Amino acid sequence: MAVTLTEAAAERVRNFLSGRGKGEGLRLGVRTSGCSGMAYVLEFADEINDEDQVFESNGVKVIVDQKSMVYLDGTEVDFAREGLNEGFKFNNPNVKDACGCGESFNV
C-alpha cells in the first residue's frame, strides 16, 4: 500500500509548506461529492493522527486517513501546467469511472 508524489508535485508541496512556515506534509483524502460519487481532498497537515497512514515520497510526507486509503492505494499525485491552467493530477489505479468535468470519480 502506498501513495506517491512525482518530483513536480513534491516540489510544489515543498514550496507551499515553505511559504506557510509550518506543516507536517500533504494530507490526501476523499469525500462524497460530484456526479460520480467521490472527490479528492488536498490540504496541508499540521499534525499526524495515530490512525493516519504516512508515506514519504520525494522528501515530502503524504498523509492519508484510514477511510480514504481504500480508495487511494496505489495513487500517484502529479503537478502539471497546461497553458494557463495548473494543478494536481491524480493517477489512481482504483478509478473505474470519472465524470466529464474531472472533478469526481468512482471505484
Side-chain angles (χ1 to χ4, degrees):
M1 291 178 28
V3 176
T4 59
L5 300 175
T6 64
E7 181 53 44
E11 181 179 345
R12 187 69 170 174
V13 172
R14 281 192 298 271
N15 289 340
F16 273 120
L17 288 173
S18 176
R20 284 181 84 228
K22 65 177 182 175
E24 289 289 329
L26 180 71
R27 182 174 294 281
L28 176 61
V30 296
R31 64 180 163 83
T32 303
S33 178
C35 47
S36 288
M38 306 295 281
Y40 297 104
V41 177
L42 284 173
E43 59 189 13
F44 297 109
D46 291 332
E47 61 184 43
I48 298 171
N49 302 319
D50 290 339
E51 65 275 0
D52 288 335
Q53 296 272 336
V54 180
F55 305 96
E56 185 86 22
S57 182
N58 285 309
V60 174
K61 290 180 187 171
V62 181
I63 303 153
V64 182
D65 65 85
Q66 284 182 328
K67 291 179 183 176
S68 297
M69 194 62 210
V70 173
Y71 305 103
L72 298 173
D73 186 27
T75 297
E76 177 188 63
V77 181
D78 192 12
F79 182 80
R81 289 188 175 103
E82 296 173 1
L84 298 175
N85 298 318
E86 63 179 29
F88 290 101
K89 295 192 172 222
F90 304 92
N91 301 313
N92 185 341
N94 304 301
V95 171
K96 298 211 182 335
D97 192 25
C99 68
C101 64
E103 294 294 319
S104 64
F105 65 96
N106 67 43
V107 294

